Amino acid sequence: MERAGKTPILKTEALEKLFKLKGGSKLYAVDKINLEIYPGETLGVVGESGCGKSTLGRTILKLLEPTGGKIYFDGQDITDYSPRAMRALRRDMQIVFQDPYSSIDPRKSVIETIAEYMFIHKVYKSKRETFEKAAELMEQVGLAQRFANSYPHELDGGRRQRIGIARAMSLNPRFIVCDEPVSALDVSIQAQILNLLMDLQDQFGLSYMFVTHDLSVVKHISDSIMVMYLGKCVEYAESEELFLHPVHPYTKALLSAIPRADLKYRGTPAQLIQGEVTSPIDVKPGCRFARRCPLCTDECSTKTPEWREISPGHFAACFCI
Amino acid sequence: MSRNETDKTKETILEIKDLKVIYQTDAEVIEAVNHIDLNILRGRTLGLVGETGAGKTTTALSILRLLPEMTGKIRGGSIFFEGHNLLEVDENWMRALRGNAISMVFQDPMSSLNPVLTIGEQISEVIRLHEPDLPRREVEEKVDSTLNLVGIPASRKAEYPHQFSGGMKQRVVIAMAICCEPALLIADEPTTALDVTIQAQVLAMMSDLKHRLGTSMLMITHDLGIVAQTCDDVAVMYAGEIIEAGTVEDIFLNEQHHPYTTGLFQSIPDINKKSDRLKPIPGLMADPANLPKGCAFAPRCGQCREICTKEHPVLTAWGTHQLRCHLFASSEKEQERGAE
Ligand SMILES: Nc1ncnc2c1ncn2[C@@H]1O[C@H](COP(=O)(O)OP(=O)(O)OP(=O)(O)O)[C@@H](O)[C@H]1O
Ligand SMILES: Nc1ncnc2c1ncn2[C@@H]1O[C@H](COP(=O)(O)OP(=O)(O)OP(=O)(O)O)[C@@H](O)[C@H]1O
Ligand SMILES: [Mg+2]
Ligand SMILES: [Mg+2]
């Protein structure tokens, strides 16, 4: 994934986040992930629900403390930055949370929520300027001004999600982790938000790590795509390439399960992945997809497949390719 | 059209007539649902789609009478479920119905999970409510198999909701709703937090319920792919009104559509093409506290004519396909009902 002469805006080396559970067992949420995101580019992250995408996003921003590995932001090693040092960096690195219900303070009005970070970082001198900017952001994400003084519980799910997007953009960050920012939105608003994110990228050279379950969205917005399965990265390639030549059996299963908005495919149910799900707790060596994989061999359940370059720029971890 | 004729003879399990719901806040009155009619037939799935804020969740909450007490008010209409008007029965009756004959998967999974009980405890509670005589060991076995069905290792049942990812919580809530074996399952965007493989698994579980027990479903979703693959009937909602409805074939195969429906289809990113820009419907949804006089979609409609801003469009029906748009209000089709 290296690229000569360019510094990635974000890079991780063997990044790890284990959760300690009762009784001393460990849950491998993010297990030795290497990734690089270059300025002005978007990395799409897809994978099974519960595979560690949100944890990865939060760990990168150090909202969760990593338990191993390194994080570099714009060339600086930020792995051991104190919360205070991180605070200054927050202007540059933001997140749009997956859950619009729990990431917003229910006692703050819409405009107060959007202005919140600008106040914390004292971006503008006057209160009036801050609220003017907040009003502008509302316009940008398609929230009508009349909601300015509404409270989050008075809004529908889609509007609540847009508050989070406006708040993340309020500090003009250089890098945003977007954790399913559009999944609660209808396709038309979704298209508006995606266009907006891409316009901001063109204008300001923003970079995104974009987590989503919607494969047509990820294909549309990403330069490259990382596929995760139970804490591990199983495949990485440029967006076009991944959709044209998926190699990992999990990626293939994922691409074949997309429900098409076309009656032609009705009645031919998606090929369900059979077999029991491996638990991410105290994992043993072996491929984590082995128990559900149609190609599984003895080797797969005892040895961990290595990360290899299948073709230039296309990586995967699987014995059967 | 023989298929449509047999459909008509089928039994209606839920019939919403002329439902009107408002939210009364300190500052204003929000007209969230405006005189809608909806029918769900036994054993069929009705897909309810529409823009964010269109009133889909409000409609679902009205069926269960779970609107926010202080602000949400039903201002008219009826909701008949198996012959009883749910807007008139007493609260005890409703309580017996919820989580039993009708169960709902809420848009926000945390609203149905208790943060201080383990996942296993919460699922077994539902199973015991539904099957009080089941021996404890069999309850536990059922908890395990239910979790497995939604792709969560049973060994994780002793964990608490905050230890689960967004999609895992959503799956637990779906599993609980399915355990109740309801006659009507209301699912409010049940799979938004799920990847497509798990989603396929969950949708298969739902269709199994439908085939096994003849469960009817109200599926609220933004995903037209899910509608095409799982729904039998479709209703498109805009600004609190049903602006187009019909069988899934009417919506996906017929040529004539409400311009809003057309816009929805054009907004989907095409997975087979690389395009630079998506085509959202221009403008914002009408303000539900201040709805325009004519058609609510007129200010955003590319085909808006003078009449559209003045008169509320009537419902035009063509077989099972219904449209509320002046473009189609011609004499060749039977007009069923005037504007309210
Ligand atoms: N605070 C926590 N304590 C213990 N385990 C946790 C905690 N947070 C997350 N996990 C576990 O870490 C794993 C990864 O969770 P994460 O939320 O990152 O998944 P995800 O890929 O974002 O899933 P989804 O698509 O459903 O949002 C899951 O097995 C989850 O149960
Ligand atoms: N408690 C409330 N108080 C005031 N207004 C509300 C309340 N709940 C919903 N509304 C308003 O009612 C309208 C309909 O909301 P509803 O939640 O039914 O939409 P929805 O179609 O489910 O949207 P989404 O797809 O975003 O979930 C919206 O304009 C919303 O802002
Ligand atoms: Mg997540
Ligand atoms: Mg809703």
Side-chain angles (χ1 to χ4, degrees):
Chain A
M1 304 183 210
E2 290 289 331
R3 225 176 294 170
K6 265 195 170 175
T7 312
I9 182 95
L10 192 106
K11 177 175 166 169
T12 69
E13 279 173 8
L15 187 66
E16 195 185 85
K17 176 67 195 176
L18 310 183
F19 289 106
K20 289 210 178 64
L21 300 179
K22 267 195 310 222
S25 25
K26 289 196 187 94
L27 187 147
Y28 287 66
V30 171
D31 192 2
K32 304 209 171 53
I33 298 278
N34 298 313
L35 59 84
E36 277 172 15
I37 303 170
Y38 286 88
E41 293 190 359
T42 301
L43 174 72
V45 177
V46 298
E48 191 163 68
S49 153
C51 71
K53 303 176 298 294
S54 298
T55 307
L56 176 65
R58 285 166 188 249
T59 311
I60 282 176
L61 297 188
K62 298 228 321 148
L63 297 170
L64 289 170
E65 273 306 310
T67 51
K70 295 267 180 221
I71 309 163
Y72 300 89
F73 182 73
D74 205 9
Q76 299 170 66
D77 181 351
I78 62 165
T79 323
D80 299 318
Y81 270 32
S82 65
R84 182 185 220 160
M86 276 312 293
R87 184 137 11 115
L89 265 186
R90 288 266 180 267
R91 277 188 82 153
D92 286 332
M93 321 170 74
Q94 277 296 325
I95 182 165
V96 178
F97 289 103
Q98 175 171 10
D99 179 0
Y101 297 91
S102 61
S103 58
I104 289 172
D105 183 344
R107 288 157 306 181
K108 283 207 173 91
S109 70
V110 169
I111 193 112
E112 282 167 346
T113 309
I114 296 174
E116 185 182 348
Y117 293 175
M118 293 188 280
F119 280 124
I120 295 175
H121 289 271
K122 302 194 177 64
V123 180
Y124 296 98
K125 274 192 231 78
S126 72
K127 216 169 160 170
R128 206 190 44 136
E129 253 180 295
T130 311
F131 280 124
E132 270 170 22
K133 176 67 188 174
E136 203 178 291
L137 284 160
M138 283 183 70
E139 202 71 49
Q140 279 188 346
V141 297
L143 275 171
Q145 291 304 327
R146 67 174 203 90
F147 293 113
N149 298 315
S150 305
Y151 288 87
H153 71 267
E154 296 171 355
L155 301 183
D156 51 85
R159 289 210 172 87
R160 226 172 300 185
Q161 186 64 289
R162 279 181 274 175
I163 303 175
I165 296 174
R167 185 175 59 174
M169 295 198 307
S170 66
L171 298 174
N172 294 324
R174 292 161 67 197
F175 171 68
I176 308 183
V177 171
C178 300
D179 195 356
E180 308 201 20
V182 292
S183 24
L185 307 177
D186 65 89
V187 284
S188 173
I189 304 285
Q190 187 175 312
Q192 282 178 13
I193 298 282
L194 294 176
N195 282 344
L196 172 69
L197 291 174
M198 293 176 90
D199 288 346
L200 289 168
Q201 184 161 54
D202 290 345
Q203 267 177 358
F204 305 111
L206 264 172
S207 314
Y208 303 114
M209 176 177 135
F210 200 97
V211 177
T212 178
H213 288 307
D214 189 327
L215 294 157
S216 45
V217 165
V218 85
K219 176 161 186 231
H220 179 77
I221 196 161
S222 313
D223 297 285
S224 47
I225 296 175
M226 177 169 121
V227 184
M228 282 180 78
Y229 190 83
L230 271 187
K232 284 267 190 215
C233 180
V234 296
E235 186 162 357
Y236 169 92
E238 278 188 5
S239 173
E240 281 292 283
E241 164 73 10
L242 190 90
F243 277 84
L244 283 175
H245 309 292
V247 294
H248 196 282
Y250 175 67
T251 313
K252 287 184 179 167
L254 200 60
L255 297 186
S256 72
I258 306 170
R260 313 267 168 153
D262 188 334
L263 288 191
K264 266 203 308 263
Y265 303 94
R266 195 178 158 93
T268 40
Q271 278 288 302
L272 296 185
I273 307 183
Q274 304 293 338
E276 213 177 310
V277 184
T278 306
S279 163
I281 299 167
D282 293 333
V283 287
K284 297 184 188 64
C287 170
R288 286 176 201 173
F289 189 57
R291 280 158 79 183
R292 302 171 77 194
C293 182
L295 308 176
C296 175
T297 63
D298 288 348
E299 194 178 25
C300 302
S301 33
T302 50
K303 278 199 277 179
T304 306
E306 254 169 64
W307 186 238
R308 340 182 251 125
E309 191 161 13
I310 310 293
S311 58
H314 191 157
F315 298 78
C318 175
F319 289 117
C320 308
I321 312 166
Chain B
M1 288 277 105
S2 64
R3 175 152 175 236
N4 292 333
E5 275 157 30
T6 53
D7 287 348
K8 277 198 180 130
T9 63
K10 274 200 185 155
E11 186 190 349
T12 300
I13 183 161
L14 186 88
E15 184 178 27
I16 299 181
K17 262 203 144 48
D18 207 26
L19 181 70
K20 165 94 188 158
V21 186
I22 60 156
Y23 291 103
Q24 174 104 54
T25 68
D26 297 343
E28 59 199 0
V29 173
I30 291 155
E31 299 182 85
V33 173
N34 300 314
H35 305 285
I36 64 162
D37 295 332
L38 275 182
N39 278 333
I40 304 180
L41 302 176
R42 192 176 292 283
R44 282 174 77 94
T45 301
L46 171 70
L48 185 58
V49 300
E51 192 154 41
T52 224
K56 305 179 297 295
T57 300
T58 305
T59 304
L61 293 177
S62 308
I63 298 172
L64 288 171
R65 287 211 336 227
L66 288 175
L67 289 166
E69 233 167 81
M70 301 303 288
T71 50
K73 301 203 161 62
I74 295 178
R75 275 294 147 84
S78 58
I79 301 178
F80 277 90
F81 175 71
E82 294 186 324
H84 299 273
N85 186 353
L86 299 184
L87 301 184
E88 282 168 2
V89 300
D90 65 23
E91 184 53 29
N92 283 336
W93 177 292
M94 279 313 288
R95 214 171 288 139
L97 212 63
R98 289 185 205 120
N100 234 331
I102 307 183
S103 64
M104 173 151 176
V105 177
F106 289 90
Q107 195 168 4
D108 169 18
M110 271 323 280
S111 64
S112 8
L113 289 176
N114 185 336
V116 299
L117 291 180
T118 68
I119 297 297
E121 282 165 349
Q122 304 193 45
I123 300 178
S124 62
E125 195 174 315
V126 172
I127 295 173
R128 278 203 301 264
L129 259 178
H130 190 64
E131 293 172 87
D133 302 327
L134 209 63
R136 170 169 292 190
R137 211 176 41 110
E138 277 173 52
V139 171
E140 282 310 304
E141 275 168 15
K142 200 158 174 195
V143 170
D144 293 3
S145 65
T146 307
L147 279 172
N148 263 327
L149 271 177
V150 291
I152 296 174
S155 57
R156 300 193 65 178
K157 68 180 170 188
E159 289 176 33
Y160 292 89
H162 77 270
Q163 295 174 298
F164 273 28
S165 76
M168 290 165 74
K169 282 185 277 216
Q170 203 172 29
R171 282 183 267 163
V172 170
V173 172
I174 295 169
M176 282 165 35
I178 287 181
C179 275
C180 302
E181 308 195 316
L184 173 67
L185 177 65
I186 302 175
D188 195 355
E189 306 192 19
T191 61
T192 41
L194 304 182
D195 63 279
V196 289
T197 59
I198 297 276
Q199 172 175 289
Q201 214 164 316
V202 165
L203 294 176
M205 274 169 81
M206 291 186 176
S207 88
D208 170 63
L209 197 66
K210 184 160 129 183
H211 293 129
R212 202 158 43 93
L213 302 172
T215 296
S216 313
M217 292 182 206
L218 176 63
M219 172 79 85
I220 300 177
T221 178
H222 289 308
D223 188 332
L224 294 168
I226 294 184
V227 174
Q229 305 314 319
T230 69
C231 295
D232 305 297
D233 302 295
V234 186
V236 185
M237 208 165 177
Y238 186 82
E241 269 189 310
I242 307 291
I243 49 107
E244 179 161 357
T247 62
V248 72
E249 291 85 4
D250 292 334
I251 305 298
F252 283 82
L253 302 178
N254 282 6
E255 304 257 308
Q256 288 171 321
H257 291 295
H258 193 286
Y260 173 69
T261 313
T262 310
L264 268 189
F265 275 92
Q266 285 173 351
S267 312
I268 315 174
D270 187 341
I271 195 137
N272 300 313
K273 269 193 270 173
K274 177 100 189 158
S275 60
D276 285 338
R277 255 189 117 64
L278 300 171
K279 289 201 268 321
I281 302 165
L284 296 177
M285 198 183 86
D287 180 349
N290 189 14
L291 287 172
K293 187 158 157 256
C295 167
F297 188 60
R300 303 171 69 185
C301 183
Q303 303 182 63
C304 177
R305 293 174 300 169
E306 207 188 322
I307 185 172
C308 304
T309 56
K310 295 213 173 102
E311 272 178 44
H312 194 87
V314 297
L315 199 70
T316 315
W318 201 349
T320 48
H321 194 180
Q322 303 181 323
L323 286 163
R324 192 181 281 279
C325 174
H326 286 298
L327 283 177
F328 305 107
S330 58
S331 53
E332 55 191 86
K333 293 164 209 155
E334 76 193 85
Q335 294 195 353
E336 287 206 336
R337 212 157 46 90
E340 44 272 341

